[in-house]
Amino acid sequence: MIIHDGQFAGLANSKWSGVAGSFYKSIGIDGHSVPGTLTVHQKLTKESSTTVTAFCRHAVTVSTGESFWFSYTDGKIWRRSNASPGVWLLVYTTSPAAGSAGCLGAMEYNGFLYWATQSRLHRISMATAFATAANWTSNAVADWATFAVTDADWHPMALQDLTLFIGDGNRVVSVNSSGTFNNNALDIKTPFRIKCITDFEQDILIGTFVATTVNKTEIIRWDTVSTSWNTSDPIEEVGINSFIRDDNYVYAQCGRAGNLYLYDGEKLHLDKKIPGTYSNVKYGEVYPGSQANFKGIPVFGFSNSPEAGNSTGNPAEQGVYSFGSYSKDYPKVLDLSFVISEAVVAGIEIGAILVNDFVLLVAWKNGSTYGVDAIDYAAKYASAYFETMMLFQDKRDVAKTLKEISAFYDSLPSGTGFTFSYGVNGAAYVAFTSITDSIMNRVYADAAGVDNIGSLQIKVEFGVSSNNAPTMEALSVLLEGE
């Protein structure tokens, strides 16, 4: 029986429910590059070495091709050159006249690079040669403008109508092309605070937050010129955490239980959920600066919440998720595509994500360790695997005997392969020995003797060799008597 034909549907809703072609777990599996087959994504390799010493939740690629990465805690700013691999340098440390020094938002606009700390907006001219620390020291304009509300957590930024818009508590702040700062371009009703902003058609969208104990928030749409916002839609969530762009679509990651909403131009509609087990002590979110578009597919980072209330934590695997499709002919699917260089999917936070052409860059925090990874085109991710949903649920009351598991391949480079494990009736996985059949182009496991099966799960691990990985066409499970 073919239980997977290579048509990739990403993550299932649970072990027991999901669309055809979806998996209970999918870590590092590439089902988009060649439709109808499954292989392995490139790995992420730490590029920042020991240079980056703090968590970067915001970063900007500027018009020169360089990118700048901003510490969320201590004011440091690092430059990454536009070479490959990038060269990293600490260029500046922000010391604002008031408020905390961590960067809460950043963007290039009209010849300047702007970044915000709690109470101050800072900038440096793009016309200045600011690739070195000396250039920054001479030309950075600290405390260029002062916020009125001084939000301690977020100053998200977006461009629209030749204007830079910045969130500050319940206000939208603006900087126009003449360099005029307006600390109250729009005043939304309290107690809402602005957590994320993005452009949308000719308007901007504002994602709001009240408090971690308040399950009520709103998305606000504003045309940038009216004295009040144009439309709003309330939802029963603890905040709108981030906006995820997909061409003309906008998704919002809302609340602390992994919910993804689709925005239709006026209202939010629950569209997808990051599968996991969520509770009052087990939650996470996508940060405002933690999303990008990689090779036409939206990617975003899911983080384990650092709050003390998240005492159990790790409701779902953390890393860089994809939510997209190969083309319009295929459904949009969700999966965990990229694991950070620390090779862990728990207890971590994913910060800023940038894409420079084909280079995916990911900032992360793992305990007291920090870094920025770059996609490594010289090596595949070494621990990619998927787990099926519970199989044979339609015959759960019938005892079955497993005979064979086969992965049919299109290519099997030297040193690569597949490893199979099985789990019966919800029990722990047990590994099989793999055998290669080069006549039928399959790797299989002889499972004779595995009986009394009510339901069954299969785990398939992809063995790689440096930059080579197998390509799977289909997975087959044979029961006694079939």
Side-chain angles (χ1 to χ4, degrees), residues 25-56:
K25 300 286 185 184
S26 177
I27 309 291
I29 299 296
D30 180 2
H32 292 301
S33 293
V34 180
T37 67
L38 302 178
T39 187
V40 179
H41 278 295
Q42 302 301 128
K43 68 176 292 192
L44 295 179
T45 296
K46 188 175 183 180
E47 189 186 75
S48 60
S49 186
T50 58
T51 303
V52 173
T53 57
F55 186 36
C56 299

Side-chain angles (χ1 to χ4, degrees), residues 21 56 96 132 139 176 207 239 272 277 282 304 330 368 391 405:
C56 299
T132 68
N139 297 289
N176 67 18
K272 196 73 174 176
T277 304
K282 204 180 183 76
N304 191 52
Y330 295 85
S368 59
L391 306 175
I405 303 170

Side-chain angles (χ1 to χ4, degrees), residues 209-333:
F209 171 90
V210 178
T212 58
T213 54
V214 178
N215 283 60
K216 176 74 74 173
T217 193
E218 290 186 12
I219 185 171
I220 293 171
R221 182 171 180 174
W222 179 47
D223 63 13
T224 75
V225 294
S226 299
T227 56
S228 181
W229 44 263
N230 303 95
T231 64
S232 69
D233 180 36
I235 58 171
E236 306 292 326
E237 291 277 10
V238 178
I240 298 172
N241 302 319
S242 61
F243 291 119
I244 301 167
R245 306 297 301 266
D246 183 7
D247 192 21
N248 295 320
Y249 298 97
V250 172
Y251 296 92
Q253 196 282 302
C254 304
R256 292 133 75 86
N259 290 331
L260 298 171
Y261 288 74
L262 175 64
Y263 184 66
D264 69 1
E266 184 178 348
K267 296 182 181 297
L268 290 171
H269 304 273
L270 184 61
D271 187 75
K272 196 73 174 176
K273 189 183 189 75
I274 300 169
T277 304
Y278 299 90
S279 73
N280 63 324
V281 293
K282 204 180 183 76
Y283 49 87
E285 66 179 88
V286 178
Y287 293 142
S290 191
Q291 57 278 312
N293 192 288
F294 183 53
K295 296 194 288 189
I297 295 177
V299 293
F300 63 87
F302 184 71
S303 295
N304 191 52
S305 174
E307 296 175 7
N310 188 38
S311 56
T312 301
N314 301 310
E317 283 84 4
Q318 297 115 52
V320 179
Y321 283 76
S322 297
F323 187 35
S325 61
Y326 179 81
S327 72
K328 67 179 180 60
D329 300 319
Y330 295 85
K332 295 186 184 298
V333 300

Side-chain angles (χ1 to χ4, degrees), residues 113-154:
L113 176 61
Y114 289 86
W115 69 101
T117 56
Q118 179 182 357
S119 66
R120 298 290 192 268
L121 181 64
H122 319 271
R123 74 178 191 177
I124 187 169
S125 171
M126 294 295 297
T128 305
F130 61 105
T132 68
N135 296 143
W136 273 77
T137 300
S138 300
N139 297 289
V141 182
D143 305 309
W144 179 77
T146 299
F147 294 118
V149 180
T150 68
D151 193 281
D153 297 303
W154 310 292

Side-chain angles (χ1 to χ4, degrees), residues 387-405:
E387 297 178 28
T388 67
M389 291 184 289
M390 287 287 190
L391 306 175
F392 313 122
Q393 286 296 299
D394 57 335
K395 299 178 181 179
R396 183 67 174 84
D397 59 338
V398 178
K400 297 167 283 291
T401 299
L402 181 63
K403 184 177 180 181
E404 191 175 87
I405 303 170

